Amino acid sequence: MAAISSDEISREKRAAGAILGALVGDALGMGMQWYYNVSEKEAQCGEWVTEYTDPSPARSDVFGNISKYRYDQGLRAGDTTQLGQIFALLLEAAAASGKDGFKVNFYAKLDSLFATLSGESLSGRYTDQMYIKARQARLDGQEWGKATATDETTADCAVFTVVLAAMYSDPLELATAANDLLEALIDNRFIVQNSIVFGLSVQALINGLPLLELSKHIKTMANQPELRAIVGSFDNFLTPGYGSTAVGGDAAIWPNPAVRIEPPKYISLLFGLDCQLTHVLPAAYYLTYRFPTDFENAVLSASNGGGQNVARAALTGALSGAIMGSSGIPLRYIDGLKGGREYLEQSLKAAALAKT
């Protein structure tokens, strides 16, 4: 695997790459999200979709009504899902308010978004249960915090840690800030903890750590009492390394030179097509190791895999973007992303906060 040294790409560009990578992955998946029959996805969209696409108003599968709804709402190629929309609100809050004010600003932006929603799933860009429940808690007069959190298992909060990984270069500062932010959204410690480990992985890559050193680096963090108190079980520190089987892994554990899924997009069928973080995240790690210096193939393998391809591609895009930097993302994806140039500027502002 070709190595990229930490001095070839600046931290700011790596941070911007991680943030843009998450948004690009989300938008690439939006037009063909939630095909739980991969054969139907391939018949209707194509076996290998390489560009942003409109959601189809003619889908007839079990989630075709969501695609038609999004089309009727005006979503088109280059738009993000609600996950990307809320991720962008967090990015905007970070760029505008810095470390001291981003959390309050973000919650205020969520309140403004909630005011435009009906409280039903077919509202906005399609609203997931986590936000429906948080919105209702706010309408009931609850303050942002544990009272607004719900016991969900989705990957949204892992994606949100990407912005914090750009803002903080120190692992404990990132873990503390992420734990504080996410407790108002997810009341599931296992999901929060594994989301934070993902953020720590993205942060390490942004900081210039070579990919093949990631597993050892993250496992070493388990020996730090303050981090362990936040992240919990030692097992939570192990997941980032398992995907390394795509390039051979640890020969002491697994002597085979590589474990291959062909074509790589079908890693989704191995780990699961559904929305649980524990199913989409291992696929993202695998695809990052499989395409360590190839953002396009890594993210397209994630977005073309069916099911919850949006979260899978956003997570993969963040990891790959952290390695490759913003210049490693094909320009057509940045230009074709609605608000892409503005996101790039905001990403660089968020990355500059690491120096404060």
Side-chain angles (χ1 to χ4, degrees):
M1 180 176 68
I4 299 177
S5 64
S6 60
D7 58 354
E8 287 179 344
I9 304 173
S10 69
R11 188 189 189 279
E12 289 78 8
K13 288 186 176 181
R14 288 183 186 274
I19 291 171
L20 286 171
L23 287 163
V24 167
D26 179 286
L28 281 169
M30 185 276 294
M32 50 183 176
Q33 188 178 18
W34 288 320
Y35 273 101
Y36 281 90
N37 182 321
V38 177
S39 295
E40 285 185 336
K41 175 263 169 188
E42 294 180 349
Q44 295 179 24
C45 303
E47 293 186 5
W48 189 245
V49 181
T50 62
E51 308 302 328
Y52 299 124
T53 60
D54 296 344
S56 172
R59 272 178 63 174
S60 58
D61 61 290
V62 66
F63 287 104
N65 66 314
I66 298 174
S67 182
K68 182 180 186 302
Y69 166 78
R70 284 174 169 164
Y71 184 87
D72 291 342
Q73 292 299 109
L75 292 182
R76 295 294 185 269
D79 279 317
T80 63
T81 67
Q82 188 178 76
L83 169 58
Q85 181 184 27
I86 293 176
F87 178 89
L89 294 180
L90 177 58
L91 172 61
E92 183 181 345
S97 301
K99 291 179 178 178
D100 292 334
F102 80 93
K103 186 177 76 167
V104 172
N105 190 339
F106 175 55
Y107 292 157
K109 290 179 182 299
L110 278 180
D111 285 334
S112 296
L113 175 62
F114 289 168
T116 70
L117 305 178
S118 69
E120 300 174 343
S121 294
L122 293 180
S123 178
R125 301 186 185 195
Y126 183 83
T127 305
D128 288 332
Q129 286 299 311
M130 181 168 73
Y131 307 111
I132 290 175
K133 294 174 182 177
R135 175 183 178 276
Q136 187 58 54
R138 292 291 287 151
L139 289 175
D140 291 341
Q142 300 292 340
E143 296 294 324
W144 279 105
K146 291 187 180 298
T148 57
T150 56
D151 187 20
E152 297 295 320
T153 61
T154 57
D156 292 41
C157 286
V159 179
F160 296 156
T161 66
V162 175
V163 176
L164 304 188
M167 295 168 59
Y168 296 93
S169 60
D170 177 76
L172 181 58
E173 289 182 354
L174 165 61
T176 302
N179 192 61
D180 190 37
L181 177 74
L182 301 183
E183 71 174 3
L185 296 172
I186 290 286
D187 187 22
N188 182 318
R189 287 305 302 164
F190 178 76
I191 297 299
V192 169
Q193 289 166 340
N194 280 273
S195 294
I196 292 172
V197 171
F198 175 76
L200 290 170
S201 299
V202 174
Q203 180 195 60
L205 296 174
I206 289 174
N207 287 348
L209 185 80
L211 179 61
L212 289 184
E213 296 179 19
L214 179 62
S215 177
K216 180 179 179 180
H217 174 77
I218 297 297
K219 284 190 286 189
T220 300
M221 290 184 179
N223 298 321
Q224 301 178 32
E226 291 177 297
L227 268 177
R228 187 68 175 271
I230 296 171
V231 177
S233 169
F234 178 75
D235 289 352
N236 292 337
F237 294 86
L238 300 180
T239 307
Y242 290 143
S244 63
T245 55
V247 291
D250 186 342
I253 299 173
W254 185 254
N256 192 46
V259 175
R260 297 294 195 185
I261 302 295
E262 296 295 351
K265 66 180 181 179
Y266 290 145
I267 192 68
S268 62
L269 299 178
L270 176 65
F271 287 119
L273 293 168
D274 60 83
C275 299
Q276 291 189 62
L277 174 69
T278 52
H279 295 167
V280 295
L281 185 53
Y285 284 125
Y286 176 89
L287 292 172
T288 303
Y289 282 104
R290 181 67 184 269
F291 299 103
T293 58
D294 188 345
F295 177 92
E296 185 166 354
N297 272 308
V299 176
L300 291 180
S301 294
S303 64
N304 277 278
Q308 178 46 302
N309 61 333
V310 161
R312 189 185 312 117
L315 295 168
T316 304
L319 291 165
S320 185
I323 296 169
M324 300 302 298
S326 54
S327 60
I329 299 174
L331 190 59
R332 73 183 193 277
Y333 289 147
I334 298 175
D335 288 340
L337 178 67
K338 302 291 180 61
R341 289 293 172 176
E342 183 178 2
Y343 294 147
L344 175 57
E345 292 178 8
Q346 292 173 341
S347 298
L348 293 172
K349 288 180 180 179
L353 295 173
K355 297 178 181 178
T356 63

